[in-house]
Amino acid sequence: MMRAADRSDPRVLIVDDSACYRQVICELLARRGYEIAGEAESIAAALRLAGTVQPDAALVDVRLPDGNGFELAARLTRSYPQIAVLMTSSQFDHNFHARAGASGALGFVPKSRLAQIEFEAFWPRDGCG
């Protein structure tokens, strides 16, 4: 159930190749007061959608079928500097935090910790960009 957009609620683009995971994270974010701007299963779909829905933020999986999320984060932040990107993955590598920063993303959070984090640290209520 979508409600009228409140500009204090960041609009988030979810990018993950798992439809099941996208559904879970959409529910989690909606319960936290975020508006879901759209969902994409690949880099190509995310780039097309980002230009159309103009999200404030993006939650991007590291592993995507047509490349890696770090590449996508770099392209999104270069093309749409207002998008606040947060990286995630079910896998964890000690260099993911550094790679996220180098890609222009605001950080990396393992999927197993997403339910516990305060998204406001990455996506403030008064706007993301």
Side-chain angles (χ1 to χ4, degrees):
M1 174 185 343
M2 298 298 278
R3 59 189 169 91
D6 176 346
R7 290 314 298 161
S8 66
D9 292 344
R11 300 176 68 247
V12 183
L13 173 62
I14 309 299
V15 185
D16 195 285
D17 59 335
S18 167
C20 180
Y21 171 75
R22 290 193 312 268
Q23 180 181 0
V24 169
I25 198 65
C26 285
E27 290 176 18
L28 172 68
L29 290 173
R31 287 181 184 167
R32 300 264 189 104
Y34 292 90
E35 181 182 343
I36 305 306
E39 300 177 39
E41 70 284 347
S42 66
I43 290 174
L47 291 171
R48 281 192 305 272
L49 200 53
T52 303
V53 302
Q54 300 180 341
D56 301 303
L59 182 64
V60 176
D61 190 18
V62 169
R63 290 178 172 74
L64 296 168
D66 55 348
N68 74 59
F70 299 115
E71 295 168 4
L72 175 58
R75 291 177 71 180
L76 285 174
T77 58
R78 196 169 40 247
S79 298
Y80 308 100
Q82 78 282 3
I83 298 177
V85 177
L86 177 61
M87 304 297 304
T88 191
S89 180
S90 57
Q91 306 292 313
F92 180 73
D93 185 306
H94 68 279
N95 69 1
F96 279 3
H97 290 285
R99 289 183 70 191
S103 72
L106 298 178
F108 171 85
V109 177
K111 285 183 179 178
S112 63
R113 299 216 1 97
L114 284 174
Q116 291 87 35
I117 70 160
E118 294 296 329
F119 289 99
E120 289 81 4
F122 302 99
W123 306 325
R125 292 284 179 202
D126 59 354
C128 287

